Amino acid sequence: MERETAAAAMQAEASQLRRRKDGEGRGREEVRRKPKKEKSSFMSRVFGFEWSDLSSWQRFVCLMNRPTDPAALGVFRFMFGFLMLLDIPQERGLSYLDYKYIDGLDVCRFPLFNSLRPLPLDWMYLTYVIMFLGALGITLGCLYRLSCLLFLIPYWFVFFLDKTTWNNHSYLYGLIAFQFTLINANRYWSIDGLWNPRKRNAHVPLWNYTLLRTQVFIVYFIAGIKKLDADWVEGYSMGSLSRHWIFDPFKLFLSEEMTNLIIIHWGGLIIDLTAGYLLFFDATRPVALFFVSQFHCMNSQLFSIGMFSYTMLATSTLFCYPDWPRRLVTKLPSCLHRLLPATKPPQLSTDCLYSGQKGKTSAQPRLRHKLGVVFTIVYILEQLFLPYSHFITQGYNNWTNGLYGYSWDMMVHSRSHQHLKITYKDGITGEIGYLNPGVFTQTRRWKDHADMLKQYALCLEGLLGAYNISKPEIYFDIWVSINDRFQQRLFDPTVDIVKADWSPFRKTPWVKPLLVDLSPWRAKFQEVGNSIDNQTDVVFIADFPELHLENFVSEDLGNTSIHILQGEVNVEIVKEAKNFSLKEGDHMQLPAGEYHKVFTVSSSPSCYMYLYVNTTAVTLEQNLTRLQELKEKVENGTETSPLPLELQPLISGNVDDLNITDPLVITYLRRQKRVAEAERRRNATIIQRLEHFCLKKYYLLRRSFLMTTISLRNLILGRPSLEQLAKEVAFAKITYNDITRKEEKEPEHVE
């Protein structure tokens, strides 16, 4: 029955098309006899549907299953799949998979579920191959549903395997791939369409577009809502970003501070809040496309975010008219049409509901039509709820809320870490020792999240047994500044994290609160920073009552002092066993090369700052300046005395000269080499920069391909001898920098 109805609708549409073509050739007199076309309503012109389409469930189902041109959806499918092909060797990590998942490596990992473990290395490569084939199938629209699953399942497995790599855009890729699994994105410009005439250039239901468009709208709009945070509005979230060269045009008429506040923070807020709306409406779409494109192109240069900027540029095309690829292809030379997507109108599809006379549908909605609409509604509601569901997953809340993925709070928080200490205590002997921060890990992101800190502590408990440390207690003292605030403790340093209570659904009791009451001090920080000279550094500290900071002043820091800004502290010089009581406004000099402790004895948090000068760095800078002056004198002939043997390499500039023994000369030559390299990159032509970029990407893809080939060979044929395997891996690991260094070391051939 449904096929007969679709066939009848197809015949009716063909008949209308013939009548329309016949009418174009008739005279004006006949055209005048045609009834006037009804003027569309304001609702239809602006939103594309009538209020009556929302008057009942059945009419709404008919609206969401309205036939829509598949062209824009098919082109977006191609772009997304292609970008994922580029993403897999890069941000997904195929190019360095052997470093991350090498067999037998004692390393602490941070999966979403503690029972989740990586596969053996060769099988991990196979997992990535399956993901890559899935992305390729999505790109080409070949075995589309299967390709979506081949990409989706390995993608989420790799995603859940390592929380330290989580970010908003990686989460977004997984969501889009999930949506692709359920929509008909292979109805245009796909291999499936070549194999199956029913899928070739066939209509898709409107909800396919609604799902993707709403997802993109949520990304923009909720990111804007999260930027209404006071730190963002006041310009503290990305405080140093305005130094980037990409903002130089704005600094022609704005100061760096105003560029940071107006262009970066306020501009980013306005774009995120309005982009989704402006892209939706026809009248504002051209303006939105211009600003959104500029926004993402700038982000691609500012941040190392892989394919995210280009993916968001691709999503912008979803808001254009669905037939925009057809209209674009018709404007290109006809000789290219065979290589490009079809331009003829789409054919009817049983996945859609077609309107008959007086707006009535020619077929009744079936179960699959209703399920598509139900899924769209439920999915959108879930996506609107998740960014604000942190009251459920309280264990993942620290100073910021959520599982650092689905919140869309992009770039709202910046952190700097001043101090990190890991202390262990043998549970039997009571022996106390210290661990190098980051030992047994390949990342340092764990230090900002209570859930990963708990995983790290449990992992260390198991690994320390091999070092004769029984039943260890592990304590973390982590100092963090968020959005240019005071450096303060993130976790209670007196709590043994091995035994500490943690649950994903309860608030973590050993997370120290963010001292937001001290936020106004940031204006004072800027005043102090502007008042000191370039050789002096400052660190601002805030600490809780009944806690103390143990600190060591390096011998390089020969002029270190502590200044009390608020509260009361006792400063203990450990070696001398002396105590000094300091109140607000007091300060004292601290001895270099010794430990000291700062106890907060006031009932409220104490605030103080360290002022210090790195005397070793200052002396080194002065000596390097003298060497530079000496070199210039020799080159211009004003220095008549012969150079000592140890200084003669200054003229050749060869840092690899075996005769160099003076560490100062080595430091000078290495600095000059870095300066020359930076100058060379800065003065490189566009062709040279493009060549450098392409070669780096070539060696990255080369490494990914060769290492994958080796692993697949191992799975199929077995591993060769260790000697042969080592040679193969060494050949695969050649990088662009290796080739460059080799060319620099080779002497020039002079004829």
Side-chain angles (χ1 to χ4, degrees):
M1 180 64 183
E2 185 175 354
R3 291 184 178 179
E4 294 175 359
T5 304
M10 188 179 298
Q11 292 176 359
E13 183 174 305
S15 177
Q16 291 175 4
L17 181 61
R18 286 195 297 270
R19 287 197 298 271
R20 187 161 58 249
K21 289 181 177 179
D22 293 342
E24 291 175 357
R26 296 175 183 173
R28 295 182 180 178
E29 186 176 342
E30 185 175 355
V31 174
R32 289 195 197 101
R33 290 198 296 268
K34 290 184 178 180
K36 293 183 178 179
K37 188 178 180 180
E38 293 183 5
K39 187 177 181 180
S40 59
S41 66
F42 172 81
M43 187 73 179
S44 178
R45 292 195 307 272
V46 175
F47 293 97
F49 59 89
E50 302 287 353
W51 279 114
S52 59
D53 292 326
L54 307 178
S55 60
S56 67
W57 168 248
Q58 182 165 345
R59 291 184 68 90
F60 181 66
V61 171
C62 293
L63 169 65
M64 297 303 292
N65 286 277
R66 186 173 68 189
T68 311
D69 197 309
L73 188 61
V75 171
F76 175 67
R77 182 212 74 238
F78 176 86
M79 292 189 291
F80 176 77
F82 179 72
L83 290 171
M84 291 303 99
L85 289 174
L86 299 178
D87 177 81
I88 289 171
Q90 299 181 79
E91 195 168 6
R92 288 320 107 207
L94 178 59
S95 62
Y96 54 88
L97 204 60
D98 54 316
Y99 288 119
K100 192 170 185 179
Y101 296 115
I102 187 170
D103 296 334
L105 184 66
D106 287 333
V107 65
C108 297
R109 304 193 184 277
F110 304 92
L112 178 60
F113 308 107
N114 290 331
S115 59
L116 197 60
R117 291 287 184 270
L119 303 174
L121 179 60
D122 290 337
W123 289 96
M124 286 299 298
Y125 272 104
L126 179 61
T127 302
Y128 273 74
V129 169
I130 295 172
M131 191 196 314
F132 188 87
L133 292 176
L136 181 62
I138 292 173
T139 306
L140 302 176
C142 179
L143 301 175
Y144 173 69
R145 305 287 181 197
L146 176 62
S147 295
C148 288
L149 291 175
L150 291 179
F151 176 78
L152 186 69
I153 295 173
Y155 184 92
W156 283 106
F157 170 70
V158 172
F159 185 81
F160 288 145
L161 201 57
D162 187 6
K163 290 185 290 186
T164 66
T165 62
W166 284 16
N167 49 44
N168 290 276
H169 59 266
S170 296
Y171 171 62
L172 177 64
Y173 299 159
L175 295 180
I176 293 177
F178 172 65
Q179 294 174 52
F180 271 147
T181 308
L182 302 174
I183 64 179
N184 300 322
N186 63 333
R187 298 302 193 258
Y188 186 76
W189 205 19
S190 68
I191 292 179
D192 286 351
L194 298 177
W195 293 343
N196 190 339
R198 293 179 58 189
K199 295 180 179 179
R200 186 187 309 149
N201 195 23
H203 281 130
V204 297
L206 178 62
W207 67 266
N208 286 192
Y209 280 93
T210 302
L211 201 64
L212 287 166
R213 287 169 176 170
T214 307
Q215 180 68 77
V216 177
F217 174 85
I218 287 173
V219 172
Y220 279 119
F221 186 68
I222 295 188
I225 294 294
K226 295 300 180 77
K227 285 182 174 64
L228 290 174
D229 182 85
D231 284 0
W232 183 275
V233 174
E234 295 174 9
Y236 289 109
S237 295
M238 295 282 113
S240 60
L241 202 60
S242 57
R243 300 170 189 167
H244 197 279
W245 63 265
I246 206 166
F247 296 106
D248 288 348
F250 299 104
K251 286 182 276 190
L252 295 175
F253 54 89
L254 290 173
S255 65
E256 188 171 295
E257 291 76 13
M258 295 306 294
T259 300
N260 169 64
L261 180 64
I262 297 176
I263 304 301
I264 297 175
H265 288 86
W266 293 359
L269 171 63
I270 293 171
I271 286 178
D272 280 338
L273 283 177
T274 61
Y277 294 102
L278 297 179
L279 285 169
F280 181 81
F281 297 109
D282 294 347
T284 57
R285 189 174 301 120
V287 176
L289 288 174
F290 173 78
F291 282 105
V292 165
S293 299
Q294 295 294 320
F295 176 70
H296 291 302
C297 288
M298 292 174 68
N299 285 341
S300 70
Q301 300 300 310
L302 289 169
F303 308 108
S304 299
I305 50 179
M307 296 295 109
F308 178 58
S309 298
Y310 311 107
T311 303
M312 292 306 293
L313 285 172
T315 62
S316 299
T317 62
L318 292 169
F319 292 87
C320 300
Y321 289 115
D323 65 339
W324 71 264
R326 301 180 195 275
R327 291 186 280 115
L328 177 62
V329 171
T330 57
K331 296 179 180 179
L332 298 175
S334 57
C335 61
L336 299 176
H337 286 187
R338 290 186 178 182
L339 304 175
L340 296 173
T343 58
K344 61 183 180 180
Q347 64 170 324
L348 276 67
S349 170
T350 56
D351 295 320
C352 306
L353 296 173
Y354 294 85
S355 297
Q357 296 180 351
K358 298 181 181 180
K360 295 182 180 180
T361 57
S362 56
Q364 291 297 319
R366 303 189 65 179
L367 179 61
R368 61 175 174 176
H369 299 125
K370 296 177 181 178
L371 288 178
V373 178
V374 170
F375 170 75
T376 301
I377 295 172
V378 171
Y379 180 84
I380 291 173
L381 291 176
E382 174 260 345
Q383 283 296 301
L384 290 171
F385 169 74
L386 271 180
Y388 300 98
S389 63
H390 310 306
F391 64 93
I392 298 176
T393 55
Q394 295 186 64
Y396 296 101
N397 299 341
N398 299 287
W399 288 350
T400 58
N401 292 330
L403 264 168
Y404 30 88
Y406 57 75
S407 297
W408 309 122
D409 52 353
M410 293 175 279
M411 306 299 175
V412 177
H413 306 103
S414 61
R415 296 175 175 85
S416 64
H417 299 80
Q418 183 68 29
H419 180 69
L420 199 163
K421 183 172 70 173
I422 305 177
T423 306
Y424 70 84
K425 180 180 179 181
D426 192 301
I428 296 179
T429 65
E431 177 189 358
I432 294 177
Y434 302 95
L435 298 176
N436 182 32
V439 64
F440 298 118
T441 68
Q442 298 171 319
T443 176
R444 288 199 171 190
R445 197 173 178 183
W446 53 267
K447 60 184 178 293
D448 291 318
H449 305 279
D451 57 305
M452 287 196 277
L453 199 74
K454 179 67 176 180
Q455 290 177 305
Y456 188 33
L458 292 175
C459 176
L460 289 176
E461 179 191 25
L463 292 175
L464 290 178
Y467 298 88
N468 298 322
I469 302 172
S470 305
K471 299 180 180 180
E473 302 173 6
I474 301 177
Y475 304 87
F476 294 88
D477 193 12
I478 301 174
W479 291 75
V480 189
S481 168
I482 185 168
N483 293 347
D484 292 340
R485 288 181 173 84
F486 280 101
Q487 290 281 342
Q488 65 155 97
R489 302 177 197 269
L490 178 53
F491 305 108
D492 191 336
T494 64
V495 174
D496 173 18
I497 305 300
V498 174
K499 299 177 182 177
D501 179 54
W502 182 85
S503 167
F505 305 111
R506 294 194 304 271
K507 183 178 179 180
T508 306
W510 36 273
V511 173
K512 304 298 288 184
L514 178 63
L515 298 173
V516 293
D517 294 342
L518 302 177
S519 298
W521 276 96
R522 288 180 291 191
K524 179 67 174 178
F525 298 167
Q526 294 178 353
E527 293 179 10
V528 173
N530 294 333
S531 65
I532 60 178
D533 56 54
N534 294 332
Q535 296 179 347
T536 304
D537 291 315
V538 59
V539 177
F540 298 95
I541 304 291
D543 202 4
F544 294 91
E546 300 180 1
L547 294 178
H548 72 276
L549 168 65
E550 183 178 12
N551 202 1
F552 178 78
V553 178
S554 171
E555 294 181 354
D556 295 334
L557 310 181
N559 187 20
T560 301
S561 59
I562 183 173
H563 300 249
I564 310 305
L565 304 175
Q566 178 179 298
E568 184 176 354
V569 302
N570 281 340
V571 179
E572 176 187 349
I573 308 300
V574 177
K575 185 177 181 180
E576 300 176 5
K578 293 182 179 179
N579 288 277
F580 302 88
S581 180
L582 303 178
K583 297 182 179 179
E584 181 177 337
D586 295 342
H587 68 276
M588 66 172 289
Q589 204 75 13
L590 297 172
E594 295 185 22
Y595 279 95
H596 67 271
K597 297 179 181 180
V598 183
F599 295 84
T600 299
V601 295
S602 55
S603 58
S604 59
S606 63
C607 304
Y608 49 94
M609 66 179 179
Y610 285 100
L611 285 176
Y612 61 94
V613 176
N614 191 329
T615 53
T616 302
V618 172
T619 303
L620 175 63
E621 192 65 34
Q622 292 172 349
N623 291 333
L624 293 177
T625 302
R626 293 193 187 100
L627 288 180
Q628 177 65 22
E629 293 173 351
L630 179 59
K631 180 182 178 182
E632 292 175 354
K633 289 180 179 180
V634 172
E635 291 176 344
N636 60 30
T638 58
E639 178 65 38
T640 57
S641 302
L643 287 178
L645 182 62
E646 64 271 14
L647 296 182
Q648 289 181 2
L650 293 177
I651 306 304
S652 65
N654 184 11
V655 73
D656 298 318
D657 192 336
L658 298 178
N659 295 324
I660 303 178
T661 57
D662 191 334
L664 181 62
V665 174
I666 295 175
T667 302
Y668 172 80
L669 293 176
R670 287 176 177 171
R671 171 186 281 194
Q672 291 301 105
K673 184 177 180 180
R674 289 194 300 268
V675 171
E677 178 63 22
E679 187 70 19
R680 186 186 63 81
R681 288 197 300 265
R682 187 163 47 249
N683 297 330
T685 64
I686 295 178
I687 300 298
Q688 290 173 330
R689 294 183 182 185
L690 180 62
E691 180 186 10
H692 175 76
F693 173 81
C694 292
L695 285 174
K696 287 189 68 175
K697 295 303 179 184
Y698 162 74
Y699 280 101
L700 182 143
L701 296 176
R702 173 187 179 274
R703 188 184 197 283
S704 301
F705 173 76
L706 291 178
M707 290 299 297
T708 301
T709 303
I710 292 171
S711 292
L712 294 181
R713 188 276 317 276
N714 294 343
L715 289 174
I716 297 172
L717 303 177
R719 292 191 176 186
S721 65
L722 291 178
E723 182 180 357
Q724 179 183 342
L725 188 61
K727 290 181 180 179
E728 293 173 349
V729 171
F731 177 73
K733 288 184 176 182
I734 295 175
T735 65
Y736 174 67
N737 291 332
D738 295 334
I739 300 297
T740 304
R741 283 194 292 266
K742 183 179 179 181
E743 291 176 351
E744 290 176 351
K745 290 181 180 180
E746 290 179 354
E748 295 184 2
H749 178 67
V750 180
E751 295 184 357

mmCIF file with all atom_site columns, all heavy atoms in Angstrom, residues 657-670:
data_model
loop_
_atom_site.group_PDB
_atom_site.id
_atom_site.type_symbol
_atom_site.label_atom_id
_atom_site.label_alt_id
_atom_site.label_comp_id
_atom_site.label_asym_id
_atom_site.label_entity_id
_atom_site.label_seq_id
_atom_site.pdbx_PDB_ins_code
_atom_site.Cartn_x
_atom_site.Cartn_y
_atom_site.Cartn_z
_atom_site.occupancy
_atom_site.B_iso_or_equiv
_atom_site.pdbx_formal_charge
_atom_site.auth_seq_id
_atom_site.auth_comp_id
_atom_site.auth_asym_id
_atom_site.auth_atom_id
_atom_site.pdbx_PDB_model_num
ATOM 1   N N   . ASP A 1 657 ? 80.571 21.434 17.592 1.00 0.00 ? 657 ASP A N   1
ATOM 2   C CA  . ASP A 1 657 ? 82.039 21.401 17.573 1.00 0.00 ? 657 ASP A CA  1
ATOM 3   C C   . ASP A 1 657 ? 82.545 20.643 18.802 1.00 0.00 ? 657 ASP A C   1
ATOM 4   O O   . ASP A 1 657 ? 82.203 20.965 19.940 1.00 0.00 ? 657 ASP A O   1
ATOM 5   C CB  . ASP A 1 657 ? 82.579 22.837 17.579 1.00 0.00 ? 657 ASP A CB  1
ATOM 6   C CG  . ASP A 1 657 ? 84.076 22.873 17.263 1.00 0.00 ? 657 ASP A CG  1
ATOM 7   O OD1 . ASP A 1 657 ? 84.752 21.848 17.486 1.00 0.00 ? 657 ASP A OD1 1
ATOM 8   O OD2 . ASP A 1 657 ? 84.553 23.918 16.791 1.00 0.00 ? 657 ASP A OD2 1
ATOM 9   N N   . LEU A 1 658 ? 83.355 19.623 18.562 1.00 0.00 ? 658 LEU A N   1
ATOM 10  C CA  . LEU A 1 658 ? 83.844 18.786 19.663 1.00 0.00 ? 658 LEU A CA  1
ATOM 11  C C   . LEU A 1 658 ? 84.810 19.522 20.573 1.00 0.00 ? 658 LEU A C   1
ATOM 12  O O   . LEU A 1 658 ? 85.075 19.071 21.693 1.00 0.00 ? 658 LEU A O   1
ATOM 13  C CB  . LEU A 1 658 ? 84.521 17.534 19.099 1.00 0.00 ? 658 LEU A CB  1
ATOM 14  C CG  . LEU A 1 658 ? 83.622 16.604 18.267 1.00 0.00 ? 658 LEU A CG  1
ATOM 15  C CD1 . LEU A 1 658 ? 84.439 15.432 17.729 1.00 0.00 ? 658 LEU A CD1 1
ATOM 16  C CD2 . LEU A 1 658 ? 82.460 16.102 19.110 1.00 0.00 ? 658 LEU A CD2 1
ATOM 17  N N   . ASN A 1 659 ? 85.351 20.659 20.126 1.00 0.00 ? 659 ASN A N   1
ATOM 18  C CA  . ASN A 1 659 ? 86.330 21.388 20.931 1.00 0.00 ? 659 ASN A CA  1
ATOM 19  C C   . ASN A 1 659 ? 85.677 22.300 21.964 1.00 0.00 ? 659 ASN A C   1
ATOM 20  O O   . ASN A 1 659 ? 86.371 22.898 22.777 1.00 0.00 ? 659 ASN A O   1
ATOM 21  C CB  . ASN A 1 659 ? 87.230 22.228 20.015 1.00 0.00 ? 659 ASN A CB  1
ATOM 22  C CG  . ASN A 1 659 ? 88.072 21.347 19.103 1.00 0.00 ? 659 ASN A CG  1
ATOM 23  O OD1 . ASN A 1 659 ? 88.507 20.269 19.511 1.00 0.00 ? 659 ASN A OD1 1
ATOM 24  N ND2 . ASN A 1 659 ? 88.280 21.796 17.866 1.00 0.00 ? 659 ASN A ND2 1
ATOM 25  N N   . ILE A 1 660 ? 84.379 22.413 21.933 1.00 0.00 ? 660 ILE A N   1
ATOM 26  C CA  . ILE A 1 660 ? 83.700 23.305 22.881 1.00 0.00 ? 660 ILE A CA  1
ATOM 27  C C   . ILE A 1 660 ? 83.609 22.616 24.234 1.00 0.00 ? 660 ILE A C   1
ATOM 28  O O   . ILE A 1 660 ? 83.061 21.517 24.363 1.00 0.00 ? 660 ILE A O   1
ATOM 29  C CB  . ILE A 1 660 ? 82.290 23.674 22.386 1.00 0.00 ? 660 ILE A CB  1
ATOM 30  C CG1 . ILE A 1 660 ? 82.342 24.316 20.998 1.00 0.00 ? 660 ILE A CG1 1
ATOM 31  C CG2 . ILE A 1 660 ? 81.609 24.613 23.362 1.00 0.00 ? 660 ILE A CG2 1
ATOM 32  C CD1 . ILE A 1 660 ? 80.980 24.655 20.434 1.00 0.00 ? 660 ILE A CD1 1
ATOM 33  N N   . THR A 1 661 ? 84.150 23.260 25.228 1.00 0.00 ? 661 THR A N   1
ATOM 34  C CA  . THR A 1 661 ? 84.064 22.730 26.593 1.00 0.00 ? 661 THR A CA  1
ATOM 35  C C   . THR A 1 661 ? 83.417 23.718 27.547 1.00 0.00 ? 661 THR A C   1
ATOM 36  O O   . THR A 1 661 ? 82.966 23.326 28.626 1.00 0.00 ? 661 THR A O   1
ATOM 37  C CB  . THR A 1 661 ? 85.469 22.379 27.119 1.00 0.00 ? 661 THR A CB  1
ATOM 38  O OG1 . THR A 1 661 ? 86.299 23.553 27.052 1.00 0.00 ? 661 THR A OG1 1
ATOM 39  C CG2 . THR A 1 661 ? 86.091 21.267 26.279 1.00 0.00 ? 661 THR A CG2 1
ATOM 40  N N   . ASP A 1 662 ? 83.397 24.986 27.173 1.00 0.00 ? 662 ASP A N   1
ATOM 41  C CA  . ASP A 1 662 ? 82.830 26.015 28.043 1.00 0.00 ? 662 ASP A CA  1
ATOM 42  C C   . ASP A 1 662 ? 81.305 25.926 27.992 1.00 0.00 ? 662 ASP A C   1
ATOM 43  O O   . ASP A 1 662 ? 80.694 26.130 26.936 1.00 0.00 ? 662 ASP A O   1
ATOM 44  C CB  . ASP A 1 662 ? 83.289 27.401 27.571 1.00 0.00 ? 662 ASP A CB  1
ATOM 45  C CG  . ASP A 1 662 ? 82.957 28.481 28.584 1.00 0.00 ? 662 ASP A CG  1
ATOM 46  O OD1 . ASP A 1 662 ? 81.992 28.283 29.363 1.00 0.00 ? 662 ASP A OD1 1
ATOM 47  O OD2 . ASP A 1 662 ? 83.634 29.528 28.598 1.00 0.00 ? 662 ASP A OD2 1
ATOM 48  N N   . PRO A 1 663 ? 80.618 25.635 29.116 1.00 0.00 ? 663 PRO A N   1
ATOM 49  C CA  . PRO A 1 663 ? 79.150 25.530 29.098 1.00 0.00 ? 663 PRO A CA  1
ATOM 50  C C   . PRO A 1 663 ? 78.472 26.850 28.724 1.00 0.00 ? 663 PRO A C   1
ATOM 51  O O   . PRO A 1 663 ? 77.386 26.846 28.152 1.00 0.00 ? 663 PRO A O   1
ATOM 52  C CB  . PRO A 1 663 ? 78.802 25.100 30.530 1.00 0.00 ? 663 PRO A CB  1
ATOM 53  C CG  . PRO A 1 663 ? 79.992 25.467 31.349 1.00 0.00 ? 663 PRO A CG  1
ATOM 54  C CD  . PRO A 1 663 ? 81.169 25.357 30.447 1.00 0.00 ? 663 PRO A CD  1
ATOM 55  N N   . LEU A 1 664 ? 79.118 27.973 29.038 1.00 0.00 ? 664 LEU A N   1
ATOM 56  C CA  . LEU A 1 664 ? 78.534 29.259 28.674 1.00 0.00 ? 664 LEU A CA  1
ATOM 57  C C   . LEU A 1 664 ? 78.512 29.434 27.156 1.00 0.00 ? 664 LEU A C   1
ATOM 58  O O   . LEU A 1 664 ? 77.521 29.909 26.585 1.00 0.00 ? 664 LEU A O   1
ATOM 59  C CB  . LEU A 1 664 ? 79.319 30.391 29.335 1.00 0.00 ? 664 LEU A CB  1
ATOM 60  C CG  . LEU A 1 664 ? 78.805 31.820 29.066 1.00 0.00 ? 664 LEU A CG  1
ATOM 61  C CD1 . LEU A 1 664 ? 77.393 31.979 29.600 1.00 0.00 ? 664 LEU A CD1 1
ATOM 62  C CD2 . LEU A 1 664 ? 79.738 32.847 29.699 1.00 0.00 ? 664 LEU A CD2 1
ATOM 63  N N   . VAL A 1 665 ? 79.574 29.028 26.497 1.00 0.00 ? 665 VAL A N   1
ATOM 64  C CA  . VAL A 1 665 ? 79.626 29.121 25.035 1.00 0.00 ? 665 VAL A CA  1
ATOM 65  C C   . VAL A 1 665 ? 78.592 28.192 24.410 1.00 0.00 ? 665 VAL A C   1
ATOM 66  O O   . VAL A 1 665 ? 77.912 28.548 23.437 1.00 0.00 ? 665 VAL A O   1
ATOM 67  C CB  . VAL A 1 665 ? 81.047 28.794 24.528 1.00 0.00 ? 665 VAL A CB  1
ATOM 68  C CG1 . VAL A 1 665 ? 81.070 28.756 23.003 1.00 0.00 ? 665 VAL A CG1 1
ATOM 69  C CG2 . VAL A 1 665 ? 82.046 29.810 25.058 1.00 0.00 ? 665 VAL A CG2 1
ATOM 70  N N   . ILE A 1 666 ? 78.453 26.990 24.965 1.00 0.00 ? 666 ILE A N   1
ATOM 71  C CA  . ILE A 1 666 ? 77.454 26.044 24.445 1.00 0.00 ? 666 ILE A CA  1
ATOM 72  C C   . ILE A 1 666 ? 76.054 26.632 24.583 1.00 0.00 ? 666 ILE A C   1
ATOM 73  O O   . ILE A 1 666 ? 75.237 26.582 23.646 1.00 0.00 ? 666 ILE A O   1
ATOM 74  C CB  . ILE A 1 666 ? 77.558 24.695 25.192 1.00 0.00 ? 666 ILE A CB  1
ATOM 75  C CG1 . ILE A 1 666 ? 78.911 24.033 24.901 1.00 0.00 ? 666 ILE A CG1 1
ATOM 76  C CG2 . ILE A 1 666 ? 76.413 23.780 24.805 1.00 0.00 ? 666 ILE A CG2 1
ATOM 77  C CD1 . ILE A 1 666 ? 79.144 22.751 25.686 1.00 0.00 ? 666 ILE A CD1 1
ATOM 78  N N   . THR A 1 667 ? 75.758 27.223 25.741 1.00 0.00 ? 667 THR A N   1
ATOM 79  C CA  . THR A 1 667 ? 74.449 27.846 25.951 1.00 0.00 ? 667 THR A CA  1
ATOM 80  C C   . THR A 1 667 ? 74.216 28.977 24.966 1.00 0.00 ? 667 THR A C   1
ATOM 81  O O   . THR A 1 667 ? 73.123 29.116 24.395 1.00 0.00 ? 667 THR A O   1
ATOM 82  C CB  . THR A 1 667 ? 74.352 28.381 27.391 1.00 0.00 ? 667 THR A CB  1
ATOM 83  O OG1 . THR A 1 667 ? 74.562 27.312 28.310 1.00 0.00 ? 667 THR A OG1 1
ATOM 84  C CG2 . THR A 1 667 ? 72.985 29.004 27.645 1.00 0.00 ? 667 THR A CG2 1
ATOM 85  N N   . TYR A 1 668 ? 75.263 29.777 24.741 1.00 0.00 ? 668 TYR A N   1
ATOM 86  C CA  . TYR A 1 668 ? 75.133 30.901 23.805 1.00 0.00 ? 668 TYR A CA  1
ATOM 87  C C   . TYR A 1 668 ? 74.859 30.405 22.387 1.00 0.00 ? 668 TYR A C   1
ATOM 88  O O   . TYR A 1 668 ? 73.964 30.918 21.693 1.00 0.00 ? 668 TYR A O   1
ATOM 89  C CB  . TYR A 1 668 ? 76.407 31.742 23.831 1.00 0.00 ? 668 TYR A CB  1
ATOM 90  C CG  . TYR A 1 668 ? 76.448 32.804 22.758 1.00 0.00 ? 668 TYR A CG  1
ATOM 91  C CD1 . TYR A 1 668 ? 75.771 34.003 22.916 1.00 0.00 ? 668 TYR A CD1 1
ATOM 92  C CD2 . TYR A 1 668 ? 77.151 32.586 21.567 1.00 0.00 ? 668 TYR A CD2 1
ATOM 93  C CE1 . TYR A 1 668 ? 75.796 34.966 21.925 1.00 0.00 ? 668 TYR A CE1 1
ATOM 94  C CE2 . TYR A 1 668 ? 77.186 33.542 20.575 1.00 0.00 ? 668 TYR A CE2 1
ATOM 95  C CZ  . TYR A 1 668 ? 76.508 34.733 20.757 1.00 0.00 ? 668 TYR A CZ  1
ATOM 96  O OH  . TYR A 1 668 ? 76.510 35.685 19.770 1.00 0.00 ? 668 TYR A OH  1
ATOM 97  N N   . LEU A 1 669 ? 75.609 29.407 21.941 1.00 0.00 ? 669 LEU A N   1
ATOM 98  C CA  . LEU A 1 669 ? 75.441 28.906 20.577 1.00 0.00 ? 669 LEU A CA  1
ATOM 99  C C   . LEU A 1 669 ? 74.073 28.261 20.385 1.00 0.00 ? 669 LEU A C   1
ATOM 100 O O   . LEU A 1 669 ? 73.451 28.401 19.323 1.00 0.00 ? 669 LEU A O   1
ATOM 101 C CB  . LEU A 1 669 ? 76.549 27.909 20.250 1.00 0.00 ? 669 LEU A CB  1
ATOM 102 C CG  . LEU A 1 669 ? 77.964 28.495 20.153 1.00 0.00 ? 669 LEU A CG  1
ATOM 103 C CD1 . LEU A 1 669 ? 78.984 27.388 19.919 1.00 0.00 ? 669 LEU A CD1 1
ATOM 104 C CD2 . LEU A 1 669 ? 78.037 29.526 19.032 1.00 0.00 ? 669 LEU A CD2 1
ATOM 105 N N   . ARG A 1 670 ? 73.618 27.548 21.398 1.00 0.00 ? 670 ARG A N   1
ATOM 106 C CA  . ARG A 1 670 ? 72.295 26.933 21.283 1.00 0.00 ? 670 ARG A CA  1
ATOM 107 C C   . ARG A 1 670 ? 71.200 27.996 21.222 1.00 0.00 ? 670 ARG A C   1
ATOM 108 O O   . ARG A 1 670 ? 70.239 27.856 20.463 1.00 0.00 ? 670 ARG A O   1
ATOM 109 C CB  . ARG A 1 670 ? 72.056 25.987 22.460 1.00 0.00 ? 670 ARG A CB  1
ATOM 110 C CG  . ARG A 1 670 ? 72.861 24.694 22.355 1.00 0.00 ? 670 ARG A CG  1
ATOM 111 C CD  . ARG A 1 670 ? 72.685 23.822 23.581 1.00 0.00 ? 670 ARG A CD  1
ATOM 112 N NE  . ARG A 1 670 ? 73.402 22.557 23.418 1.00 0.00 ? 670 ARG A NE  1
ATOM 113 C CZ  . ARG A 1 670 ? 73.566 21.676 24.390 1.00 0.00 ? 670 ARG A CZ  1
ATOM 114 N NH1 . ARG A 1 670 ? 73.071 21.924 25.623 1.00 0.00 ? 670 ARG A NH1 1
ATOM 115 N NH2 . ARG A 1 670 ? 74.212 20.541 24.160 1.00 0.00 ? 670 ARG A NH2 1
#
